[in-house]
Amino acid sequence: MNIIMMGAQGTGKGTVAGLLKQGLGLPHISTGEIFRKNIQENTELGKMAKQYADEGKLVPDEVTNEMVKQRLNEEDCVNGFILDGYPRNTNQAETLDNILAEKNTQIDLVVNLNTPQDEIIERVMARRECPKCKRVYNMILKKPKEGEICDDCKVALTKRADDTEEKLQTRLDTFFKETTPVIEYYRNKGIVRDEEISISINRFGEDVARDIINSIENK
Ligand code: AMP
C-alpha cells in the first residue's frame, strides 16, 4: 500500500507516519528528514539543500524528485511506503505518478491532516528533536520524561533550525500556495482521507493512526 501524508507544518504528519509504519510495516520516508541528515553530514546534496532549507524554501524539484525516485527504488519499498513531506507541489505530484507508473503501481491513500492555524504555530514552537536518535518531542503534546532531555539517549533536545516564527511563516505561505493544490490533485482521484487533528477536539496523532489502521485492516 502506498500512502502520502499531507498537512501543514506541525499538524503531526511525522507522528502519524511513524505510527502507521509500526502498524502497517511500511517504511516511513520523510524528505525533510533525508535533507536534514544530508545537511548534518555535509554531503553534496546537503550543501545544496541547506541554502533552501535554511530559508524555509523548497529545494528545487529536479533534486527532490531524483532523491525520491532513488529512495523508492530501494528494496524496503516493494510492498509500499508512507511518504511524508512529498509531493509539495503539482510538478512533484505528477513526477511521482510517473515514477510509480514505471513500477506498475500508484498512490492508494492520501491522509490530509488539518489543524487550526493558531495551534499550528504553538505546536511548531514547542517542537524539539533528539540530535542523536532524531526522536521528535513536543513540549506541549509529547513531553520528555525529564526537562528537555531525550528519554532514550539522555542528551539535550534541540530545536530545528527552521522552527522559528519567521521561517515558519515562509513555510506556511509556501504550503498554502504550492501544496494545497496537490491535495486537490488527489481529491480529484477520490483517494483523500481528511482528518482533523487538534487539542481543541481532543484528537491526536494516535487516534488518527489507529482509525486508519483499523479501516485498512477491515477492508
Ligand atoms: P519538512 O521537515 O518536511 O518541513 O522539510 C524541511 C525542509 O526540507 C523544507 O523546508 C524544504 O527546504 C526541504 N524539503 C522537504 N521536503 C521537500 C520537498 N518535497 N520539496 C522541496 N523541498 C523539500
Side-chain angles (χ1 to χ4, degrees):
M1 181 161 209
N2 301 328
I3 303 175
I4 293 176
M5 298 301 310
M6 299 284 302
Q9 285 71 16
T11 47
K13 296 188 294 294
T15 302
V16 176
L19 294 165
L20 293 180
K21 170 187 172 169
Q22 283 172 24
L24 301 171
L26 297 172
H28 168 198
I29 302 170
S30 156
T31 45
E33 197 52 60
I34 301 176
F35 282 131
R36 277 189 292 282
K37 186 163 185 280
N38 276 276
I39 291 170
Q40 201 180 17
E41 292 172 357
N42 209 22
T43 64
E44 284 309 310
L45 175 66
K47 283 182 213 160
M48 206 284 301
K50 187 173 175 359
Q51 47 188 317
Y52 298 94
D54 272 357
E55 289 187 30
K57 293 187 179 150
L58 293 184
V59 176
D61 286 350
E62 311 81 72
V63 177
T64 309
N65 288 335
E66 187 52 35
M67 180 180 89
V68 170
K69 185 175 179 180
Q70 284 181 22
R71 180 63 187 88
L72 294 181
N73 276 333
E74 287 180 27
E75 217 174 302
D76 61 344
C77 294
V78 286
N79 293 322
F81 51 79
I82 304 157
L83 269 174
D84 160 12
Y86 180 92
R88 292 273 247 273
N89 57 35
T90 43
N91 173 32
Q92 292 184 4
E94 283 162 5
T95 304
L96 177 61
D97 276 351
N98 293 335
I99 294 171
L100 296 178
E102 277 178 27
K103 296 166 169 295
N104 289 319
T105 185
Q106 74 291 313
I107 295 299
D108 302 298
L109 175 68
V110 176
V111 179
N112 180 34
L113 301 180
N114 286 294
T115 301
Q117 179 118 1
D118 50 348
E119 207 180 302
I120 283 182
I121 298 167
E122 254 183 87
R123 278 169 183 251
V124 172
M125 290 305 127
R127 182 153 67 186
R128 301 287 184 277
E129 190 178 63
C130 172
K132 211 167 156 201
C133 70
K134 302 291 166 206
R135 182 166 159 189
V136 178
Y137 294 84
N138 190 290
M139 299 313 291
I140 302 168
L141 295 163
K142 228 182 342 170
K143 288 187 188 172
K145 289 186 188 125
E146 261 178 73
E148 295 202 11
I149 308 282
C150 176
D151 293 347
D152 303 316
C153 310
K154 308 291 176 207
V155 298
L157 302 178
T158 52
K159 235 176 120 92
R160 267 174 54 171
D162 56 353
D163 277 351
T164 64
E165 285 208 38
E166 192 196 341
K167 284 175 193 167
L168 175 61
Q169 204 47 62
T170 310
R171 290 156 67 207
L172 284 172
D173 288 348
T174 307
F175 173 79
F176 288 111
K177 199 165 127 231
E178 297 198 39
T179 312
T180 47
V182 179
I183 301 168
E184 293 319 305
Y185 176 86
Y186 291 118
R187 211 178 282 291
N188 290 333
K189 296 178 188 267
I191 54 171
V192 174
R193 176 182 172 125
D194 290 295
E195 288 284 353
E196 294 300 314
I197 185 164
S198 166
I199 302 181
S200 63
I201 55 161
N202 230 3
R203 188 158 167 81
F204 302 99
E206 288 73 13
D207 304 303
V208 171
R210 185 199 54 229
D211 290 353
I212 295 171
I213 293 168
N214 282 343
S215 70
I216 290 172
E217 285 175 348
N218 294 329
K219 244 190 188 168

